[in-house]
Amino acid sequence: MLRSLLTAGVLAAVNLTVLEAHADTLGNALPKLELQPVTALYPPTYSQQSDLNAGGLRPPPSVQSDPFAPPSGETAADLERSDEEDSGRGLQFLWLNGEVGLQHLGLQTFSSKNLLDTKVVKTTQTGLVYGGGAGIRLLFLTLGARFRLGNFDEYQVWTLNAEGGIRIPLGAVEPYFTFGGGYASLGAFDSKNVGSGLNSAGVDVTGYNVRGGGGLDIYLGNVVSIGASVTGDVLFLSRPGVDPQKLAATANGTTPGQMGTPAQGQALASDVYAADGSSIGGSATFTAVLGLHF
């Protein structure tokens, strides 16, 4: 037991001596660790790599952000050209115009059912037409009302319509399209034929119409324009039946049915006007237009 303890002590002393002898050698053999700077662990910012290319791409140049900088030469030329082409009228809110021209009318263009006595009244005629309109304008859209009176040899036809339109501003020249519809009336029969009898008997022809067309305005300034329009109408007219005694009473005291006298015409008319009548007609209108715009 004592011998074992002595042996262990001797071995420990020997090991300690060996370690002390080789301490300097072991210290030189151990690797030395060096701390890297913090900047080496993170890539440089965008501003720090202004001279670097990322993936073969170079950062774009800075954009001029001065709002008061003058426009480039090309932009200035475009603005000057736009000013020359602009009509300079600005926004418009109100319009009104007057028109005069010719109207060709067919009372039974599409269908007829005893609207008038075609033996004594011409259903197809051409005459002067007068009219006017007014309304509002919102950019390129217009909305308003229009009155027209067609004056023909044997009667008159007038219409009162609501009207919408689409304008196409092209500087001083402005084409447009219109559409509308409303009330239509036929009357004021000429007294040279049986017109006086129809008027006194109370023959009433009314209905409605639809209209479409287009035109062109040429502006002479900011307010005044001249132009022309072409429109087409479809008229749906009807007439209630009239008491035959009222028609006969218009024969200036002669006996209805007597051949060769005005009463004959009244008697024949009673065969037509005693019953209800209707027709679908059409018209084409060509007018010169003078307009005001505000």
Side-chain angles (χ1 to χ4, degrees):
M1 179 70 177
L2 181 59
R3 181 178 297 178
S4 299
L5 294 174
L6 291 174
T7 302
V10 171
L11 291 175
V14 172
N15 290 335
L16 180 61
T17 303
V18 172
L19 289 174
E20 291 177 352
H22 295 280
D24 295 337
T25 303
L26 291 174
N28 295 331
L30 291 174
K32 295 182 180 180
L33 299 177
E34 296 182 359
L35 295 177
Q36 299 294 327
V38 177
T39 57
L41 301 179
Y42 299 93
T45 62
Y46 179 79
S47 61
Q48 294 173 338
Q49 58 176 354
S50 59
D51 295 334
L52 301 179
N53 294 336
L57 300 177
R58 186 175 298 276
S62 60
V63 179
Q64 182 179 359
S65 59
D66 185 3
F68 302 101
S72 62
E74 182 178 355
T75 303
D78 292 339
L79 293 175
E80 184 178 355
R81 184 167 53 254
S82 298
D83 289 339
E84 293 176 355
E85 295 175 355
D86 186 13
S87 63
R89 297 194 304 271
L91 293 177
Q92 299 174 352
F93 300 99
L94 300 174
W95 62 269
L96 59 92
N97 60 38
E99 58 181 344
V100 60
L102 291 175
Q103 184 176 69
H104 181 72
L105 173 68
L107 293 178
Q108 50 186 17
T109 303
F110 302 102
S111 70
S112 176
K113 186 179 179 182
N114 291 333
L115 181 69
L116 297 174
D117 185 1
T118 57
K119 295 179 181 179
V120 292
V121 178
K122 296 180 181 178
T123 59
T124 300
Q125 297 191 32
T126 301
L128 289 175
V129 62
Y130 316 91
I136 61 174
R137 174 168 178 167
L138 301 174
L139 298 179
F140 59 91
L141 300 177
T142 59
L143 181 65
R146 181 169 301 279
F147 174 82
R148 273 184 179 171
L149 173 64
N151 191 15
F152 303 97
D153 290 339
E154 299 183 356
Y155 43 77
Q156 293 179 341
V157 176
W158 63 269
T159 58
L160 180 60
N161 290 176
E163 181 180 273
I166 299 175
R167 316 285 295 196
I168 307 174
L170 299 175
V173 177
E174 190 169 274
Y176 59 88
F177 300 94
T178 61
F179 52 90
Y183 183 78
S185 177
L186 170 68
F189 294 97
D190 186 32
S191 60
K192 293 179 181 178
N193 49 32
V194 294
S196 59
L198 297 178
N199 293 329
S200 61
V203 174
D204 186 24
V205 180
T206 59
Y208 64 94
N209 73 302
V210 293
R211 175 180 299 155
L216 181 71
D217 279 343
I218 301 176
Y219 281 80
L220 304 180
N222 296 337
V223 176
V224 180
S225 69
I226 59 173
S229 72
V230 178
T231 57
D233 290 52
V234 178
L235 298 98
F236 302 85
L237 301 175
S238 62
R239 173 191 52 76
V242 180
D243 185 354
Q245 296 299 323
K246 291 184 179 181
L247 293 172
T250 62
N252 297 325
T254 57
T255 304
Q258 181 181 355
M259 300 300 293
T261 66
Q264 179 185 8
Q266 297 291 353
L268 292 173
S270 66
D271 296 336
V272 175
Y273 298 112
D276 295 344
S278 63
S279 74
I280 301 177
S283 69
T285 306
F286 309 87
T287 61
V289 184
L290 175 64
L292 298 175
H293 312 265
F294 306 97

